[in-house]
Amino acid sequence: YDFDHNGMDQHHSAFTHLLGSLQHLRLEFTMTDEALMECLALAQNVTVLEIVDWVFAVRTWGAPPGTHRHYYQVQDTVLQRLTSEPSSTVVLCPHLEIFRLLVSLYYEQPGKSELVSISTPALLNFLESRRGTGNQTSKLRICDILMPAGDQSSTTVLARFTHLMQDGLRLRV
């Protein structure tokens, strides 16, 4: 196969244009959190974002074969980039109204118990920022998340989730 840089530029341009015009994006394959954020940066018109987060393995340089670190692609860094704050210059997916995240339960396999997807504080900050008025983003209407249980039982955390639902957010965690 003869590699054609001009052809790659055309394909990249077409892919970039396609992502920019999408309103509904469902991602169901493994990628790093950095690659996910690059993808979302191109998909600024998305109103519905669905992510099935599978654990992926990365072999550390110089590590023996079979030695891998496992990661989730949706981590706190991704939620922070989706969080609308006055200090944020660029918020990913500013028109987002529906967010669905299914986190693989792969972490239960032996040797994977140290895996962490997103933290409850990062999730609450994201949800609360997307419900506020006067910010630069659309109001999040629906959030469905299936993930390993975190610290969601404290009185403060439950009160924050309750307030979001009373404010009209359809929330299932």
Side-chain angles (χ1 to χ4, degrees):
Y1 179 73
D2 186 20
F3 185 74
D4 177 12
H5 290 288
N6 292 329
M8 280 299 289
D9 290 342
Q10 290 172 349
H11 292 301
H12 182 265
S13 177
F15 182 70
T16 301
H17 177 71
L18 174 67
L19 275 175
S21 64
L22 290 178
Q23 291 185 341
H24 187 143
L25 178 60
R26 179 179 172 88
L27 299 170
E28 192 171 343
F29 53 90
T30 59
M31 66 176 80
T32 64
D33 59 331
E34 293 91 4
L36 175 60
M37 288 187 285
E38 286 180 35
C39 176
L40 296 179
L42 297 172
Q44 289 297 300
N45 291 315
V46 166
T47 58
V48 178
L49 177 59
E50 299 177 325
I51 301 173
V52 178
D53 190 348
W54 299 100
V55 172
F56 67 97
V58 175
R59 188 169 139 208
T60 307
W61 181 259
T67 305
H68 296 85
R69 294 240 342 132
H70 294 81
Y71 300 91
Y72 281 111
Q73 60 199 30
V74 179
Q75 298 179 19
D76 285 356
T77 53
V78 175
L79 282 185
Q80 289 164 355
R81 291 286 311 277
L82 287 166
T83 298
S84 176
E85 297 177 2
S87 62
S88 300
T89 55
V90 177
V91 177
L92 296 177
C93 305
H95 305 289
L96 191 62
E97 296 178 11
I98 299 173
F99 179 68
R100 293 189 175 105
L101 173 63
L102 169 63
V103 177
S104 165
L105 299 182
Y106 184 72
Y107 77 99
E108 292 181 351
Q109 292 187 4
K112 311 289 187 298
S113 61
E114 78 282 357
L115 293 178
V116 176
S117 176
I118 56 175
S119 68
T120 302
L123 174 61
L124 282 165
N125 290 339
F126 159 68
L127 294 173
E128 290 168 344
S129 79
R130 289 300 186 121
R131 292 297 295 168
T133 57
N135 60 23
Q136 62 202 21
T137 60
S138 296
K139 197 168 191 175
L140 191 67
R141 296 182 299 110
I142 299 171
C143 180
D144 297 324
I145 296 182
L146 176 61
M147 63 183 226
D151 180 25
Q152 300 167 357
S153 60
S154 76
T155 306
T156 306
V157 168
L158 291 175
R160 288 174 71 185
F161 278 127
T162 301
H163 178 70
L164 285 163
M165 292 185 298
Q166 289 171 342
D167 187 41
L169 178 64
R170 193 184 95 194
L171 177 65
R172 294 185 293 184
V173 179

